[in-house]
């Protein structure tokens, strides 16, 4: 389901361009349809006015919350059902953020990720992406949208860019508060700078060693980590936003002093933030998180080497943390 399909439905009910923008704006902000005019009935053709309840139903049917799982840290995980029976996860983040999914499943196949285990099942349409934000806004304020849920946004670029455009315009989200997360793909670096709304960039690096990266992210594009950092840095200079590098910390795999050296070599002095995120262990996968002390020592060492580093808890740890775990449970993949 794409935003264009919704626009066409609105047009079929007599909505011209201005009314379509208004209705999409109301939808993306989780407002009642027609709000924004003192007396909508004064401005809308009768046919469109009469169609508002039906349009509201059409918009509500794009995606619905199947279940909601609040966490102790202020986050909440939503299992979001799509019209064809598929499901994705969204996470309401502390401090007015939401993390949305861009694909059902994922083709990158990161070895530490539940979502990657089934491969790609289908793309999430641009309307389904915006609907996740609307569902979040029906529950709490949203000022930041991160495209870090299930899926690799670079593999669904048209839909993600359409959603970003609507959220960054009618949706009222600040452009630097739209965060496009990727494992690194040349199409991203070509197309993102050209869009009317240029989001901030988060790049999942995970290691500075090309050979290890090929093992951890087996179907990510083969781009050397040093080149990835250069490409991300160029985007950062073009937009004026720092790049957020993501690093899932796996005990004994990418938490060594050699990686600290590698990160310092690639990132020192750059306009970038390194986010160290201790892994959220799951029973089915053989990876473990390092101790908090080890993670903190890495962060301190990187700071000393001139790399702005944040050590993060991944939101929603106590509510099945880790992308795809809630959906896996809903499908009976793991014990509840
Ligand atoms: Fe895909 Fe992200 Fe999971 Fe990797 S971590 S398999 S990119 S969803």
């Amino acid at each position: 389901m794409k935003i264009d399909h919704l626009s066409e439905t609105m047009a079929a009910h007599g909505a011209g361009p201005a009314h379509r923008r208004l209705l999409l704006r109301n939808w993306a902000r989780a407002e009642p349809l027609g709000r924004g005019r003192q007396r909508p009935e004064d401005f809308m053709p009768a046919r469109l006015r009469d169609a508002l309840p039906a349009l509201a139903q059409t918009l509500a049917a794009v995606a619905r919350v199947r279940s909601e799982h609040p966490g102790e840290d202020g986050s909440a995980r939503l299992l979001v059902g799509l019209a064809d029976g598929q499901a994705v996860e969204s996470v309401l983040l502390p401090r007015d953020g939401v993390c949305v999914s861009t694909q059902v499943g994922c083709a990158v196949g990161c070895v530490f990720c539940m979502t990657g285990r089934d491969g790609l099942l289908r793309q999430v349409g641009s309307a389904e992406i915006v609907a996740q934000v609307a569902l979040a806004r029906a529950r709490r304020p949203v000022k930041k949208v991160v495209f870090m849920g299930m899926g690799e946004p670079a593999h669904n670029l048209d839909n993600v860019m359409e959603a970003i455009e609507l959220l960054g315009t009618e949706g009222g989200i600040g452009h630097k508060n739209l965060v496009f997360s990727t494992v690194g793909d040349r199409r991203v670096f070509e197309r993102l700078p050209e869009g009317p709304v240029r989001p901030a960039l988060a790049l999942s690096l995970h290691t500075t060693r090309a050979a290890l990266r090929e093992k951890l992210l087996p179907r990510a594009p083969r781009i050397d980590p040093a080149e990835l950092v250069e490409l991300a840095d160029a985007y950062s200079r073009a937009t004026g936003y720092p790049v957020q590098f993501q690093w899932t910390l796996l005990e004994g795999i990418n938490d060594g002093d050699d990686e600290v050296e590698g990160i310092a070599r690639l990132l020192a002095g750059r306009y970038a933030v390194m986010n160290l995120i201790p892994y959220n262990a799951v029973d089915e996968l053989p990876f473990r998180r390092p101790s908090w002390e080890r993670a903190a020592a890495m962060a301190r060492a990187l700071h000393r080497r001139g790399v702005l580093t944040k050590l993060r808890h991944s939101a929603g740890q106590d509510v099945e943390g880790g992308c795809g775990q809630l959906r896996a449970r809903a499908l009976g993949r793991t014990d509840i």
Side-chain angles (χ1 to χ4, degrees):
M1 173 63 84
K2 293 171 80 78
I3 294 164
D4 281 353
H5 297 143
L6 297 176
S7 282
E8 285 161 16
T9 306
M10 291 168 186
H13 286 292
H19 284 133
R20 292 203 293 274
R21 270 200 306 279
L22 172 68
L23 297 175
L24 288 172
R25 177 189 172 98
N26 293 149
W27 174 55
R29 295 179 186 229
E31 296 170 344
L33 287 194
R35 188 175 153 188
R37 311 275 170 135
Q38 261 194 328
R39 296 177 53 195
E41 62 275 21
D42 290 344
F43 294 84
M44 287 185 170
R47 191 172 146 225
L48 176 57
R49 205 170 60 225
D50 293 345
L52 287 182
L55 281 174
Q57 276 188 5
T58 301
L59 293 167
V62 174
R64 299 179 193 276
V65 172
R66 276 202 210 164
S67 58
E68 193 165 345
H69 307 257
E72 286 175 5
D73 59 357
S75 68
R77 214 159 253 270
L78 306 181
L79 184 66
V80 176
L82 307 175
D84 64 351
Q86 289 288 2
V88 292
E89 294 180 32
S90 308
V91 183
L92 309 179
L93 303 167
R95 294 180 294 284
D96 298 345
V98 62
C99 172
V100 297
S101 292
T102 56
Q103 297 183 302
V104 183
C106 181
V108 178
C110 299
V111 292
F112 49 80
C113 171
M114 290 292 286
T115 299
R117 293 180 90 191
D118 290 335
L120 176 65
L121 299 181
R122 81 156 164 88
Q123 305 289 13
V124 176
S126 54
E128 293 166 329
I129 297 171
V130 175
Q132 293 175 64
V133 178
L135 289 170
R137 279 178 151 168
R139 285 160 174 76
R140 53 170 89 170
V142 170
K143 296 186 184 130
K144 181 169 186 166
V145 179
V146 298
F147 298 82
M148 283 184 194
M150 299 165 61
E152 163 56 51
H155 290 175
N156 189 16
L157 207 43
D158 289 339
N159 280 302
V160 175
M161 288 185 73
E162 281 168 32
I164 283 175
E165 183 174 343
L166 181 61
L167 291 168
T169 54
E170 304 304 331
I173 307 279
H175 298 187
K176 70 174 180 193
N177 288 331
L178 293 159
V179 183
F180 186 106
S181 170
T182 179
V183 296
D185 189 303
R186 292 187 196 283
R187 289 169 294 184
V188 169
F189 300 110
E190 286 160 13
R191 291 205 33 209
L192 244 49
E194 293 170 356
V197 173
R198 295 192 295 182
L201 183 70
L203 201 149
S204 298
L205 199 59
H206 303 314
T207 175
T208 58
R209 292 175 280 161
L212 176 60
R213 201 164 189 272
E214 284 178 20
K215 284 191 189 145
L216 293 177
L217 288 66
R219 289 186 290 282
R222 299 283 157 91
I223 306 176
D224 189 88
E227 187 185 355
L228 273 178
V229 170
E230 286 297 338
L231 290 165
D233 197 48
Y235 184 73
S236 159
R237 286 196 301 275
T239 57
Y241 318 140
V243 176
Q244 305 271 335
F245 287 96
Q246 308 292 101
W247 191 285
T248 298
L249 272 174
L250 304 165
E251 186 182 57
I253 293 177
N254 64 356
D255 64 345
D257 291 340
D258 56 336
E259 294 282 23
V260 171
E261 288 303 313
I263 296 168
R265 196 174 61 247
L266 293 183
L267 295 191
R270 302 217 192 234
Y271 189 36
V273 179
M274 170 53 79
N275 294 305
L276 298 179
I277 308 153
Y279 179 64
N280 242 350
V282 288
D283 292 344
E284 298 84 345
L285 300 175
F287 303 99
R288 288 195 307 262
R289 63 164 53 199
S291 69
W292 190 256
E293 292 70 30
R294 173 59 200 155
M298 281 183 82
R300 281 195 302 275
L302 287 169
H303 266 297
R304 280 197 299 275
R305 302 290 302 271
V307 179
L308 179 58
T309 306
K310 293 185 178 167
L311 181 53
R312 298 192 180 276
H313 292 281
S314 47
Q317 272 175 29
D318 55 331
V319 282
E320 324 294 355
C323 55
Q325 291 176 50
L326 181 61
R327 179 177 174 279
R329 284 185 190 244
L331 295 177
R333 286 277 302 266
T334 59
D335 299 334
I336 294 179

